[in-house]
Amino acid sequence: MIRNIKKVKSILLFILLMLVSDVFATHYRAGEIIFRKVSGLNYEITVYTYTDQFAGGDAGTGTIEIDFGDKTKKVVPRTTDVIISLDPTYGIRRNSYTALHTYTGPGTFLVSILDLNRVDGIRNINGGNSVGIPFSVQSLINVDNALENQSPILLAQPIDRGCVSGVFVHNPGAYDPDGDSLAYEIKSPNLGPNAPVPGFVIPEATDSFTINQLTGQLTWSRPKFEGVYNIVIRIKEYRFDGKMRRPILIGYVDRDIQIRILLCTNKPPKIASMSNACILAGDVLEKNISASDVLDASQTVTLSALGGPFAQNPSPALTIPEIAQGNPTGFLFRWRPSCFAIRADSFQAIFRAVDNGIPVSLTDVQSFKIKVNAPAPKNLKIQLVGKGFKLTWDPDTCKLAFGYNIYKRIDSSLWNPSYCQTGVPASTGFVLIDTVQGVNNTTYFDDNSGKGLSPLINFCYRVTAFYLPRDNAGRIVPLARPSESKASAEVCEIIKRTSPIITHVSVVKTDISKGAILVKWLSPLLDSTQYPAPYNVKVKRALLGSTSFVDVGLVKNYNTYKEIQNDSIVDSNINTSTSQYYYKVVFANNTGLSEESIIASSIFSTPYNTDRAIILNYKFDVPWLNTSYIIYKQNGTNFDSLAETKLTTFTDTGLVNGQIYCYYISSVGNYNQKFLPIALINNSQIICGKPIDTIPPCPPVVIYKTPCNQFNINNIIIEWEYSKACKQDVKNYKIYYKKSPSDTFIQLAFLPANITSYIDNRPQLVFGIAGCYSVTAIDSVGNESNVVPNINCINNCPYYILPNAFTPNGDKVNDIFKPFPYRFIESIDIQIFNRWGSLVFSTKDIDINWDGKDMNSGVELTSGLYYYVLKIYENYLEGTRERKVGGSINLIRK
């Protein structure tokens, strides 16, 4: 963009020559660039600039050149021109320029403008000498066919005023039509794309100068000095990436704002505090908003509102009256949000109270956030169908839901969600079992993925709707974070006892071939008229991971219904030592009846041997609910109860390495005690383990000393130590090194335990110290600590500094503009401009060697201040990195 400054129209050059420079050059005060996707790769880009009405500010604002960030630019005529009069001597011209641009492909593009010149006397830029510094703003666009996005819209003016030693507040009033999350930070103004202005400092404050990262509220507590100040507020928009499970940056807008601080005793008005709120779409939210100026009771306070709720379409928020005046004063905030306002992020309603003080009117800004939630699905019903439940509910009343979430738990939660509570918290005991898509997809069947649901258990369900945010045109915003409605009412039901019900699958003997398992079941409850005798019962068995069940044997035949009873069998001569088994009971008659129980497995336990401990893990698949587990440990010829836990893992500690220990697990469970008030006890096989030291030592805590404070680099000192809480059995240390994080470690040294430092003085360090080190500890058994968590990477410390003045007068002293001694620099690219923004010199020579002459004409340039934009390509651990620097050079000829 900067190279094209020379192409400014000849009429502009004529004006530059004819007008007094300080008159023309002082016009840019503030601005920003916003954008919206029109379709595909087509974007509408709008530039807003705020210029000085009274200092020749309209002379160069009829057109502006937009750099679209894809190596294309366009001169765009002014679209609108509005005068904003803050007082008789402080008029602001608001200019807008709109262009349509089609990108050739997806990517991330930095859209920017650069023009002459900023107003003079900006106190925190270049020591107040800002008149010759170009004005530049930028925005980042993520162009993607699949990504619908519109930048935040800034509803408040970027020109504001305050008093010395007062409290100044400002809010840009950002609203994102797509419902993206916004974050705010303070940046330096620019003189070109990513090129900070020289000499920028944060405005000085007696107390603080801060911005709220979530609300955008800028607070300057007690400015120290009067004057004009400029900063940039970067408004970043994030969208939740469901695949990555994290928010991603999809763009930002840099707003250059100007603040004028005056010597005045006026005190700003105060808006009464307000709390955040929530509302269901379709309901009405009302709040009384009030403001007053107690310290200046004679003044009139004007109260107004802005923010996302007021920009909604349909059904925007409103205030009654629209603007309130008085002291005190106030109005009623009222909003009935439509279903299109449902989103995961909150809306921000912003209120401004402005007094009519002299010499300057002051402002208070306050805001509150409003979360718009979706109503709960209505009329949830449950119906028993076979061995499962059919759920039905009414379609989403908003007709905008993307789908529904299905939650389940055992027994009623007795949970009653509050008005603002959405979703189903894990604390309720409900678990999300499935999700269905489609607003009219309002039927769901749960039969435990075909296994069937357990009888004698009370299953409870709730349903929520989920939404994707929509823009003001009603279009779904891709990749946006979904929001969840309030939960439906709870429904519960129990599977009828029409099939056999297994109650026990318990190992009674552990052996590789002569093992045995006890299987018990409850008989089904049938209509003997509909299903007449005779009956038979079979028990079937399958190995873990197999779907092929084999008959254990014909258990019993029943000639009449009255003969049927609860029964059991011992399945013998099987491998219970290393195998886990699944069982089912089949009840049948001769007329087509065949009812199968829900499958139930034995408990299978596995040991993990570690240092002075054995970790027991046990797994099972049963239709009842296991509530606790008793650990039995062998003591002589008996097994004694060792512990009881609700977890499916247990660690027995304080053991002797090399000694054998044996255990079995006994589970305690039940069906719904209302229908079967007995505890179900089942045992695992007996397992044995032998503790062994497999625990490596703790990784040492590494401290390295980099010689970056010395210009001549020749070694790196690495030291390590242990915290007192980490007891060690350390015999040796290993030192590892790799040049970059992607390389493989090589071993540099193998040291005894009494040495806790190492000096890396290899000759190649003179050319670059970037690299990664790790120190591991090795114990007496040979276990080595993990190298990964103890990686310490040292980066290069590139050095490249330019002087701020030189004297090309032929005395061979400081005649050439060049850098001070540098290190670890790959290349540079520098452009030097005069105060009019014309390029006078450029080079990629790392030593620059500018003699103070114009690079095109060879004419010696006059004494004065010149500005540069410098790109430095530095060598780092991860590779070459570009750093952009802006600054000024004082060319002096004596």
Side-chain angles (χ1 to χ4, degrees), residues 124-276:
N124 63 326
I125 293 179
N126 202 33
N129 186 19
S130 56
V131 63
I133 298 177
F135 175 83
S136 178
V137 288
Q138 62 191 38
S139 290
L140 186 72
I141 302 180
N142 189 344
V143 174
D144 190 327
N145 273 316
L147 185 65
E148 297 291 336
N149 186 37
Q150 182 174 351
S151 70
I153 299 171
L154 309 181
L155 302 175
Q157 295 177 11
I159 308 289
D160 217 335
R161 297 176 294 181
C163 291
V164 171
S165 299
V167 176
F168 169 83
V169 292
H170 175 87
N171 194 303
Y175 160 64
D176 193 285
D178 304 320
D180 296 322
S181 299
L182 301 182
Y184 304 81
E185 64 178 329
I186 296 171
K187 306 288 288 184
S188 165
N190 286 334
L191 57 76
N194 279 340
V197 295
F200 170 75
V201 293
I202 295 294
E204 295 178 277
T206 302
D207 297 330
S208 61
F209 187 95
T210 60
I211 192 168
N212 187 308
Q213 295 181 358
L214 299 179
T215 67
Q217 186 88 338
L218 177 71
T219 303
W220 187 358
S221 183
R222 301 172 65 196
K224 276 191 174 182
F225 306 107
E226 66 174 322
V228 175
Y229 300 82
N230 272 67
I231 64 164
V232 163
I233 297 179
R234 175 166 292 179
I235 302 108
K236 299 179 290 185
E237 50 178 341
Y238 288 90
R239 191 167 293 177
F240 188 78
D241 188 330
K243 294 181 180 179
M244 301 293 290
R245 304 298 301 169
R246 62 179 178 83
I248 56 172
L249 178 69
I250 62 168
Y252 65 72
V253 171
D254 277 0
R255 166 171 263 197
D256 196 322
I257 76 168
Q258 186 166 98
I259 307 165
R260 185 184 180 196
I261 300 298
L262 294 90
L263 285 173
C264 47
T265 58
N266 187 24
K267 302 297 181 184
K270 294 294 181 184
I271 299 175
S273 62
M274 55 196 78
S275 57
N276 294 336

Side-chain angles (χ1 to χ4, degrees), residues 9-82:
K9 298 177 181 179
S10 58
I11 184 64
L12 177 59
L13 293 175
F14 175 77
I15 294 173
L16 289 173
L17 293 172
M18 296 299 294
L19 294 179
V20 178
S21 63
D22 282 354
V23 173
F24 175 76
T26 58
H27 65 282
Y28 274 106
R29 292 192 179 276
E32 77 265 358
I33 302 172
I34 65 170
F35 55 87
R36 70 177 183 91
K37 181 177 180 178
V38 178
S39 64
L41 302 174
N42 303 307
Y43 282 78
E44 179 186 84
I45 296 168
T46 300
V47 177
Y48 291 103
T49 64
Y50 295 77
T51 55
D52 193 333
Q53 178 190 1
F54 301 111
D58 191 38
T61 54
T63 62
I64 202 164
E65 187 176 57
I66 301 178
D67 185 334
F68 298 108
D70 59 353
K71 298 182 180 180
T72 65
K73 303 173 184 178
K74 183 178 181 181
V75 175
V76 180
R78 183 165 54 198
T79 308
T80 63
D81 173 9
V82 179

Side-chain angles (χ1 to χ4, degrees), residues 105 133 234 252 352 379 490 498 632 672 704:
I133 298 177
R234 175 166 292 179
Y252 65 72
R352 289 171 50 89
N379 202 25
E490 180 182 271
T498 58
Y632 289 90
N672 191 306
Y704 64 85

Side-chain angles (χ1 to χ4, degrees), residues 293-442:
D293 196 338
V294 177
L295 297 179
D296 295 307
S298 62
Q299 293 183 0
T300 299
V301 176
T302 301
L303 184 63
S304 60
L306 57 121
F310 302 95
Q312 286 303 287
N313 182 23
S315 192
L318 51 86
T319 59
I320 306 171
E322 182 178 355
I323 295 176
Q325 289 186 321
N327 190 3
T329 189
F331 48 43
L332 176 68
F333 170 85
R334 191 177 192 275
W335 190 24
R336 186 194 295 271
S338 74
C339 292
F340 289 96
I342 296 170
R343 57 176 56 175
D345 286 288
S346 297
F347 291 86
Q348 188 173 9
I350 303 170
F351 303 92
R352 289 171 50 89
V354 183
D355 65 21
N356 62 343
I358 297 175
V360 58
S361 59
L362 296 182
T363 303
D364 186 27
V365 180
Q366 297 294 332
S367 65
F368 72 94
K369 292 199 170 185
I370 308 164
K371 178 71 167 63
V372 179
N373 295 326
K378 307 296 183 186
N379 202 25
L380 177 62
K381 294 181 179 179
I382 186 169
Q383 179 185 359
L384 175 63
V385 179
K387 294 179 181 177
F389 294 118
K390 179 183 177 182
L391 302 174
T392 60
W393 58 93
D394 293 343
D396 165 43
T397 55
C398 283
K399 308 298 183 185
L400 296 175
F402 195 75
Y404 303 92
N405 294 324
I406 318 299
Y407 292 87
K408 181 172 72 174
R409 63 161 281 155
I410 294 173
D411 290 330
S412 175
S413 64
L414 302 178
W415 170 57
N416 185 25
S418 66
Y419 181 78
C420 288
Q421 194 168 20
T422 59
V424 182
S427 59
T428 64
F430 279 95
V431 176
L432 178 66
I433 60 169
D434 209 345
T435 295
V436 297
Q437 293 187 6
V439 65
N440 294 315
N441 191 1
T442 58

Side-chain angles (χ1 to χ4, degrees), residues 699 734-738 745 773-777 784-792:
K734 285 184 180 180
I735 317 299
Y736 292 95
Y737 169 82
K738 58 182 177 180
F745 273 114
Y773 295 84
S774 184
V775 179
T776 63
E784 184 176 2
S785 64
N786 195 343
V787 70
V788 174
N790 210 25
I791 296 175
N792 291 267

